[in-house]
């Protein structure tokens, strides 16, 4: 059976700097993979190429066998939803309306249906009592959960997360991580850039370690954290406080 998401030999340069040097990866339906790697390694660029926020210079992205192209990108983006580091919520809209706006405009849902759907997704992320609050009335963790609910409302095949907890105070990361873990448990397909080792250990089928625009290794979390194959991966783990003493 074809992979749900297939990224094949993606290359991307900014000016004369080649940021992605031929990246390939794939996810089966229901899999969660966590991408780790030092800052500047191309992780965000890779996610942006996957849903064509930045088109790759070459290579292919396929969802369920269908290639993402300029012609179908708007339709495909509804199937490959993106959760950003800094939430990207509309500040002048309530939590509920941040979700209904896309359903109304892109899905042409009636007001009542959109509202019902938004409330269902807010409930799923534990925010049913916050539907009428504006982003400024919500904590960072709650804002990120609204943004996850917004992504879920589009009923995507794949969720992309770019460092979803790195803009949060440490005490707020837990509530976001636990929502993501429950999505993984429910069989959502997720490609997550994150250095949350606990999340990777509990929820990921594999860790993908990127370095210098390449995928250096991919392994189940247990294996990656206990016995990374490359020096660069060992150095990275030490730098984030996960180095093995032995
Ligand atoms: N729009 C852009 N224009 C020019 N350079 C960029 C752009 N986006 C990213 N880069 C460069 O690409 C490299 C990889 O960036 P990024 O994908 O954000 O890395 P990471 O997410 O792993 O920290 C960095 O050197 C960054 O400066
Ligand atoms: Mg980044």
């Amino acid at each position: 059976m074809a992979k749900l998401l297939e990224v094949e030999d993606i290359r991307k340069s900014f000016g004369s700097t080649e940021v992605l040097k031929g990246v390939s990866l794939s996810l089966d339906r229901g899999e969660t993979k966590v991408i780790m790697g030092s800052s500047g390694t191309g992780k965000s660029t890779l996610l942006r190429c996957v849903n064509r926020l930045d088109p790759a210079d070459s290579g292919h992205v396929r969802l369920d066998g269908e290639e993402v192209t300029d012609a179908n990108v708007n339709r495909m983006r509804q199937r490959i939803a993106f959760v950003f580091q800094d939430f990207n919520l509309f500040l002048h809209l309530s939590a509920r309306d941040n979700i209904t706006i896309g359903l109304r405009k892109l899905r042409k849902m009636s007001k009542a249906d959109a509202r019902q759907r938004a409330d269902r997704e807010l409930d799923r992320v534990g925010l049913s009592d916050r539907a009428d609050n504006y982003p400024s009335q919500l904590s960072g963790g709650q804002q990120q959960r609204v943004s996850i609910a917004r992504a879920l409302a589009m009923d995507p095949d794949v969720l992309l997360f770019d460092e979803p907890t790195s803009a949060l105070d440490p005490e707020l990361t837990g509530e976001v991580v636990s929502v993501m873990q429950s999505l993984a448990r429910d069989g959502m397909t997720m490609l997550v850039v994150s250095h949350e080792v606990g999340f990777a250990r509990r929820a990921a089928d594999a860790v993908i370690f990127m370095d210098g625009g390449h995928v250096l290794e991919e392994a189940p979390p247990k294996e990656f954290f206990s016995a990374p194959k490359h020096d660069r991966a060992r150095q990275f783990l030490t730098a984030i406080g996960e180095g093995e003493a032995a």
Side-chain angles (χ1 to χ4, degrees):
M1 217 176 69
K3 297 281 180 180
L4 179 65
L5 180 71
E6 233 178 332
V7 172
E8 187 189 325
D9 201 20
I10 291 284
R11 289 172 190 271
K12 176 76 182 175
S13 297
F14 293 108
S16 58
T17 309
E18 194 175 30
V19 171
L20 298 177
K21 301 173 181 168
V23 173
S24 300
L25 57 85
S26 65
L27 275 82
D28 280 321
R29 194 176 287 280
E31 274 190 323
T32 291
K33 292 190 179 180
V34 171
I35 301 175
M36 294 191 172
S38 305
S39 180
T41 296
K43 305 178 301 294
S44 296
T45 304
L46 174 65
L47 289 193
R48 295 173 62 82
C49 285
V50 169
N51 83 342
R52 231 174 160 79
L53 290 170
D54 270 329
D57 298 331
S58 66
H60 306 277
V61 176
R62 291 186 206 89
L63 184 67
D64 233 350
E66 182 178 359
E67 178 146 10
V68 182
T69 63
D70 281 333
N72 66 17
V73 66
N74 288 328
R75 177 166 57 81
M76 294 303 250
R77 250 184 226 151
Q78 295 182 42
R79 299 177 60 194
I80 309 175
F82 206 115
V83 175
F84 297 89
Q85 179 174 358
D86 50 5
F87 330 135
N88 268 19
L89 296 175
F90 295 111
L91 299 179
H92 64 291
L93 295 179
S94 67
R96 178 189 291 118
D97 288 345
N98 264 282
I99 301 171
T100 57
I101 188 171
L103 296 172
R104 304 266 287 140
K105 288 199 167 148
L106 300 170
R107 290 288 160 91
K108 313 291 179 208
M109 265 191 199
S110 74
K111 205 170 169 178
D113 285 352
R115 186 186 163 103
Q116 194 178 31
R117 183 65 199 253
D119 287 358
R120 192 172 96 201
E121 300 306 342
L122 284 170
D123 187 43
R124 192 164 167 192
V125 300
L127 289 175
S128 37
D129 56 338
R130 293 296 193 156
D132 295 315
N133 286 172
Y134 288 84
S136 64
Q137 300 169 313
L138 300 171
S139 72
Q142 290 169 333
Q143 290 182 59
Q144 189 59 298
R145 285 189 281 152
V146 171
S147 132
I148 292 171
R150 177 176 61 181
L152 291 170
M154 299 312 281
D155 206 11
D157 291 294
V158 180
L159 275 176
L160 308 178
F161 292 82
D162 192 3
E163 304 211 33
T165 60
S166 62
L168 300 176
D169 292 333
E171 72 266 29
L172 299 178
T173 64
E175 64 190 59
V176 172
V177 164
S178 93
V179 164
M180 293 168 64
Q181 272 171 221
S182 78
L183 296 178
R185 252 194 326 267
D186 289 350
M188 181 59 75
T189 310
M190 308 199 286
L191 185 58
V192 182
V193 174
S194 173
H195 296 161
E196 290 291 327
V197 172
F199 172 76
R201 283 185 187 276
R202 286 190 292 271
D205 296 284
V207 176
I208 294 170
F209 180 72
M210 281 183 67
D211 189 56
H214 294 282
V215 171
L216 209 54
E217 63 183 272
E218 174 171 345
K222 221 172 147 184
E223 200 177 308
F224 178 73
F225 293 120
S226 62
K229 290 190 186 65
H230 294 82
D231 285 344
R232 287 291 301 135
R234 268 191 292 277
Q235 289 160 9
F236 170 80
L237 288 173
T238 303
I240 64 166
E242 280 293 316
E244 286 286 305

